[in-house]
Amino acid sequence: MSVKERKERDRAARERLILATARELAEQQGWDAVTTRRLAERIEYSQPVLYSHFRGKREIIGAVALEGAAELTAAVRSAAAGAGGPRERVTALARAYLAFAEGNPAVYDAIFHLDGGLAFAREDTPEPLKDAFAALLENLAEVAGDDVSPDLFTEVFWASLHGLATLTRAGRLPPPETESRVQLLVGRLAVV
């Protein structure tokens, strides 16, 4: 291995460590606890080293959001692939989405609630975010109905899932009813 390859490998490892530490700290104590100073202390590197990877917390949040979007996409696709017909796929997709939001609240916040400097629904939207939407679209397009744009239907269904996830986490909706809400949402689809 060349010196350049080793340096690149070491840099990538440091970056993974920074992001893993930021995620861990955010999941334990919230994003307010994630500061460059605290991260530098935890990873045992100086703040200048951290800044050589990320210009600040906003970029770290953005990087965590992109990782999280890829993980959410994988969870949704895996759940839907293991289901039978359209209604079962959408039910599995909804459950996987809500389970991800519940199990990874800080990552979910990085994707959808915090400013990570990422563009949504634009030409310059990063691929992991586009792919997350595509994972929803590929499972929802066939249940949208003949007179509805699959993209528009996917946006509305996604907004419903996001609302359920956000309101449940905020204590506005009781968690024991989550499955009933999923069944109600999926039960109104344009498929049999």
Side-chain angles (χ1 to χ4, degrees):
M1 175 181 302
S2 73
V3 171
K4 182 180 178 186
E5 290 171 331
R6 184 180 50 77
K7 284 183 178 184
E8 288 173 5
R9 183 194 67 206
D10 291 347
R11 181 174 176 75
R14 267 193 318 274
E15 190 166 300
R16 285 190 305 274
L17 177 62
I18 292 166
L19 294 178
T21 304
R23 287 176 71 154
E24 179 184 324
L25 189 56
E27 292 293 355
Q28 291 171 351
Q29 299 177 32
W31 279 103
D32 287 343
V34 179
T35 64
T36 54
R37 181 178 181 176
R38 186 176 266 168
L39 283 174
E41 289 171 2
R42 284 216 175 179
I43 64 172
E44 298 179 345
Y45 283 99
S46 67
Q47 281 183 293
V49 169
L50 195 140
Y51 282 116
S52 74
H53 290 272
F54 300 99
R55 285 181 283 193
K57 182 176 176 177
R58 183 177 188 223
E59 279 192 8
I60 292 169
I61 290 169
V64 168
L66 294 178
E67 279 185 351
E71 293 165 11
L72 175 59
T73 300
V76 164
R77 283 194 170 125
S78 176
R87 188 176 304 276
E88 291 78 18
R89 280 194 300 280
V90 174
T91 300
L93 172 154
R95 287 178 181 146
Y97 185 98
L98 294 173
F100 180 88
E102 180 183 4
N104 304 280
V107 173
Y108 193 81
D109 283 349
I111 301 169
F112 297 113
H113 295 279
L114 300 174
D115 179 11
L118 304 174
F120 283 80
R122 297 190 338 213
E123 283 297 317
D124 60 339
T125 298
E127 284 305 313
L129 299 178
K130 288 179 181 178
D131 198 34
F133 185 79
L136 298 174
L137 179 62
E138 62 201 33
N139 288 289
L140 292 167
E142 68 182 315
V143 299
D146 294 334
D147 58 340
V148 178
S149 158
D151 285 348
L152 182 60
F153 181 80
T154 300
E155 290 171 354
V156 171
F157 195 89
W158 169 34
S160 297
L161 291 176
H162 178 68
L164 289 174
T166 301
L167 291 170
T168 301
R169 183 165 150 215
R172 304 297 195 267
L173 296 175
E177 297 298 322
T178 298
E179 182 60 26
S180 298
R181 291 183 193 98
V182 168
Q183 292 304 321
L184 180 62
L185 185 60
V186 173
R188 301 293 181 230
L189 299 176
V191 296
V192 289

